[in-house]
């Protein structure tokens, strides 16, 4: 079996979580398996092959799991993009629309050395609202955004449309 097929089969779909109509992609079975977890980091790293990236920025919370492991693998720094009120120093804040209401994410103003190269990562691309807000935060930081990586992409939601002009890569499409 191709590594990607094994990883895909290790992702469990939970219907109607956290609310009715959502098919939640549960990555915990993948994380439980050291081989699949390792392979998913290998495959994410292969998307950055030949590139020189200084930081992986991960979106809370599942973006931390893959982002931190990827940063260690590549020997670069890790920067957390967090829910409001979690980061202790001066932050930039960005709100974005949800189906009902809005949400906000934050980054430390001194998260990156100016002029460095950044790769953004999250576990899953759905509508693209979260990642688009993260792009806006990174754009305020005087760095170059190389690319955006996702383990999973829900292609039917066309989240890439919100990330136009960016290099977007995902490992697994549903
Ligand atoms: P979006 O902003 O719509 O692209 O949503 C992306 C964020 O919400 C990511 O941080 C995901 O972890 C989470 N998310 C959205 N939809 C799902 C889903 N069906 N299964 C698991 N996580 C999801």
């Amino acid at each position: 079996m191709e590594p990607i097929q094994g990883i895909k089969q290790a992702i469990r779909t939970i219907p109607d979580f956290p609310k009715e109509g959502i098919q939640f992609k549960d990555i915990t079975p993948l994380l439980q398996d050291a081989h699949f977890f390792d392979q998913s980091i290998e495959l994410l790293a292969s998307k950055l092959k030949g590139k020189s990236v200084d930081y992986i920025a991960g979106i809370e919370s599942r973006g931390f799991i893959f982002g931190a492991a990827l940063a260690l693998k590549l020997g670069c720094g890790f920067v957390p993009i967090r829910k409001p009120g979690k980061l202790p120093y001066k932050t930039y804040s960005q709100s974005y629309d949800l189906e009902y209401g809005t949400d906000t994410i934050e980054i430390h103003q001194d998260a990156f050395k100016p002029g460095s190269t950044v790769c953004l990562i999250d576990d899953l691309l759905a509508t693209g609202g979260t990642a688009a807000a993260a792009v806006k935060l990174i754009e305020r930081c005087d760095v170059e955004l190389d690319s955006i990586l996702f383990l999973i992409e829900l292609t039917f939601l066309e989240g890439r449309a919100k990330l136009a002009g960016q290099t977007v890569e995902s490992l697994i499409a549903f």
Side-chain angles (χ1 to χ4, degrees), residues 21-160:
I22 304 285
Q23 301 284 315
F24 190 86
K25 298 299 177 197
D26 178 15
I27 55 157
T28 61
L30 182 162
L31 299 174
Q32 278 174 329
D33 186 304
H35 179 65
F36 288 146
F37 188 20
D38 182 58
Q39 275 187 332
S40 57
I41 299 303
E42 282 288 340
L43 289 166
L44 288 165
S46 72
K47 300 285 185 193
L48 298 176
K49 207 171 165 192
K51 294 182 174 187
S52 173
V53 169
D54 302 303
Y55 300 94
I56 304 294
I59 302 174
E60 186 169 359
S61 58
R62 289 179 296 273
F64 290 0
I65 299 170
F66 294 97
L70 182 61
L72 278 176
K73 165 111 198 141
L74 297 174
C76 54
F78 176 77
V79 168
I81 294 178
R82 298 211 62 180
K83 293 176 178 151
K86 301 281 186 190
L87 289 169
Y89 187 59
K90 286 182 237 164
T91 57
Y92 295 126
S93 229
Q94 183 66 48
S95 295
Y96 56 100
D97 290 331
L98 299 173
E99 198 180 349
Y100 301 102
T102 63
D103 220 336
T104 302
I105 50 174
E106 297 183 339
I107 195 168
H108 271 151
Q109 291 184 11
D110 65 349
F112 310 109
K113 275 203 194 106
S116 52
T117 303
V118 177
C119 169
L120 174 65
I121 187 166
D122 202 359
D123 68 323
L124 183 143
L125 173 63
T127 66
T130 313
V135 169
K136 284 191 185 152
L137 287 177
I138 291 169
E139 282 174 348
R140 292 176 71 180
C141 291
D142 190 22
V143 292
E144 190 198 330
L145 179 59
D146 172 83
S147 50
I148 312 172
L149 303 184
F150 300 94
L151 184 78
I152 304 163
E153 177 174 2
L154 304 182
T155 48
F156 62 95
L157 292 174
E158 297 176 351
R160 279 177 190 249

